Amino acid sequence: MLNYVWIALVLIGVLTAAGSDIYDASTDRYRNGEPFELQFDSTSSNSGRVFYTREYYDAFYGVSIESPDTLVFPASIGGNSLKITTGDSSPELWKTIAKTDDKSDQITAKVQSRKGESMAILLPTTSLVKTKAVLDAVISYSEMGVKIALGLIGVMAFWLGIMKLADDSGMIKIIARVMKPVMVRVFPDIPPDHPAIGAMIMNMAANMLGLNNAATPLGLKAMDELEKLNPHKGTASNAMITFLVINTAGLTLIPATAIAVRAALGSKDPTIILLTSFFGAGLATIAGITAARILQRLKVYRIKETVGETNDGRNPG
Amino acid sequence: MIRETLESLSIIAIPLIVALFVAYAAKKKVPVYESFVAGAKGGFDVAVKIIPYLVAMLVAIGIFRASGAMEMLVTALSPVARLIGMPPEALPMALLRPLSGSGSLGLMADIMKKYGPDSFIGILVSTMYGSSETTFYVLAVYFGAVNIYRTRHAVAAGLIADFVGMLGALFICRILLG
């Protein structure tokens, strides 16, 4: 299934980008090569601001944008090149032109003619916007993958060290024993006193307390233990998938990130979401475990060897 | 009150667990330092092992997001969202949450900046963010660490959980906030 998701993401992405670039080119969305007229209001010899009316913009690009009647941008001039700085509230097209031009919020335009305050400029030729964005994404996301992985080394080493300690001392088994009644139900394939159980409990506890830094290393340790019990290398076991779904559902007592963002944006009650997200994630967890239970019996998801052993495909398990 | 208790609990949890584990190991006469180092050795290997899986997953998601396909999907699904009572402004959040952690975090902040964190949409999107984890990231990292590439029903079950989580978030916000 992950194969198909991967193919879909890549192909839909590339084709959408190509399609939208072809559409932009055929409708001349960026009006490449057409002089744009605006007013330059200088505060010193070479810097100041440029402005034009919304009406003019709408007519020029054949769109209708929501903005004040006059659009104003800081700008500076040098020779016959005009540097215009766009901002968050600038029109979408100009933001895209700036970003595609030199990956900043500046547009470098050529001044064609100038008469007092008014001038006609040529905006940089803009094409293949989405394809360029895809190309950038490939590079920046690859780097991000490595950065995330390498960033894990420290906490990973720390928690693996602590877990080894807990394993050697028998602490993990004690933890597993306490939670046995619940764990045997959720993970019927795993022996109740196996270290995998202890690691999974530690991971879930870390998740509940919102300790993301600890949860991932502990979760990976648990996966490692589950893999030791997995007879089919390279293929996910039922227990692994159940454990993974519990993690993707993200049940936590403290959704710390969301609360922090709410507080930063001046919410009167940042923690109002404690209850609501516990409810949402709780439902997700129950649904996920149930779905995993049901799906693991489906013929397409059964592990190949066991399919061969079953004579009657209609009556699994 | 509950909030303060929870917050202090999450702060003292790690030091407490570490102290407890070390003390118990010492009592059981485990060579504590040696044992810790022996375990910690694996940290680098695990991190390096997940790189190919993480890169594969993130690049595919990056291509998808950069192409603008997401916006089209949002437009296509807006009528469905309205039908179940979800404001269309919150729909991108529901779609992006399983795909990208940093992406959905930025989106949550943007939406709250626009509509206010205490508006219905603001509370809804932050609930959605808190109601799920980044499913595809978890899949890539967890399976990557043990070299598993045949994932069977993991994606399906994970997405079902996400779907129910998003609906649950919408449901509880509607009930509590109208």
Side-chain angles (χ1 to χ4, degrees), chain A residues 1-3 5-6 8-10 12-14 16-17 20 130 133-134 137-138 141-142 144-146 148-150 152-153 156-166 168-172 174-175 202-203 207 209-212 214-216 219-220 223-224 227 230 232-238 240-241 243-245 247-250 252-255 257-259 261-262 265-281 283-285 287-288 291-293 295-296 301-304, chain B residues 2-3 6-7 9-11 13-14 17-18 20-22 24-26 28 30-44 46-51 54-69 71-72 99-100 102 105 108-110 112-113 117-119 122-124 126-143 145-162 164-169 171-173 176-177:
Chain A
M1 176 115 176
L2 205 49
N3 265 321
V5 173
W6 206 79
L9 286 173
V10 172
I12 292 175
V14 172
T16 309
S20 100
K130 292 293 183 194
V134 164
V138 168
Y141 276 75
S142 312
M144 196 209 290
V146 176
I148 292 174
L150 294 185
L152 269 176
I153 295 177
M156 195 72 223
F158 173 75
W159 281 105
L160 286 179
I162 291 291
M163 288 302 280
K164 176 90 167 81
L165 206 62
D168 289 351
S169 67
M171 190 76 184
I172 291 288
I174 297 175
I175 295 170
M202 297 276 293
N203 161 269
N207 274 326
L209 294 170
L211 308 169
N212 292 333
T216 306
L220 297 188
M223 288 299 279
D224 185 46
E227 176 69 359
N230 183 9
H232 311 282
K233 303 296 167 204
T235 303
S237 67
N238 290 343
M240 281 177 178
I241 294 174
F243 175 61
L244 220 105
V245 167
N247 265 279
T248 65
T252 180
L253 293 171
I254 309 157
T257 318
I259 292 176
V261 174
R262 291 177 59 76
L265 291 174
S267 165
K268 275 188 214 117
D269 189 1
T271 51
I272 194 171
I273 61 159
L274 276 178
L275 179 81
T276 53
S277 45
F278 190 78
F279 178 85
L283 276 190
T285 308
R293 271 288 166 81
L295 291 172
Q296 73 193 23
Y301 291 132
R302 257 178 293 163
I303 297 167
K304 293 228 166 61
Chain B
I2 298 172
R3 175 187 152 203
L6 283 176
E7 271 169 10
L9 192 64
S10 81
I11 292 167
I14 290 180
I17 289 169
V18 171
L20 184 70
F21 281 20
V22 171
Y24 187 76
K28 288 277 164 178
V30 172
V32 180
Y33 182 74
E34 266 179 68
S35 172
F36 180 92
V37 172
K41 259 181 204 156
F44 185 80
V46 176
V48 171
K49 228 193 229 172
I50 63 176
I51 289 178
L54 207 49
V55 168
M57 186 61 81
L58 290 177
V59 165
I61 289 166
I63 291 175
F64 185 77
R65 289 195 58 206
S67 71
E71 286 78 6
M72 289 184 191
L99 286 179
S100 165
S102 57
L105 180 61
M108 168 176 72
D110 282 348
M112 285 202 285
K113 253 183 235 159
D118 296 322
S119 65
I123 293 175
L124 178 61
S126 39
T127 300
M128 283 176 159
Y129 184 87
S131 291
S132 181
E133 263 298 325
T134 316
T135 300
F136 285 95
Y137 169 80
V138 174
L139 277 178
V141 171
Y142 279 43
F143 280 144
V146 287
N147 285 329
I148 279 182
Y149 40 87
R150 281 190 291 272
T151 58
R152 295 172 63 214
H153 52 291
V155 177
L159 290 180
I160 289 172
D162 289 335
V164 172
M166 293 299 132
L167 285 187
F171 174 78
I172 192 82
C173 287
L176 295 180
L177 306 153

Side-chain angles (χ1 to χ4, degrees), chain B residues 56-125:
Chain B
M57 186 61 81
L58 290 177
V59 165
I61 289 166
I63 291 175
F64 185 77
R65 289 195 58 206
S67 71
M70 194 65 158
E71 286 78 6
M72 289 184 191
L73 197 62
V74 169
T75 317
L77 290 178
S78 279
V80 184
R82 255 188 232 111
L83 206 67
I84 57 168
M86 181 187 282
E89 297 86 347
L91 184 61
M93 190 65 193
L95 295 177
L96 192 58
R97 188 68 194 98
L99 286 179
S100 165
S102 57
S104 52
L105 180 61
L107 188 64
M108 168 176 72
D110 282 348
I111 293 176
M112 285 202 285
K113 253 183 235 159
K114 195 164 170 194
Y115 298 95
D118 296 322
S119 65
F120 177 74
I121 291 178
I123 293 175
L124 178 61
V125 291

Side-chain angles (χ1 to χ4, degrees), chain A residues 37-56:
Chain A
E37 284 165 18
L38 40 66
Q39 313 284 314
F40 182 70
D41 183 10
S42 56
T43 47
S44 70
S45 61
N46 56 3
S47 71
R49 52 199 198 116
V50 292
F51 57 93
Y52 52 82
T53 63
R54 189 190 60 212
E55 255 171 85
Y56 178 75

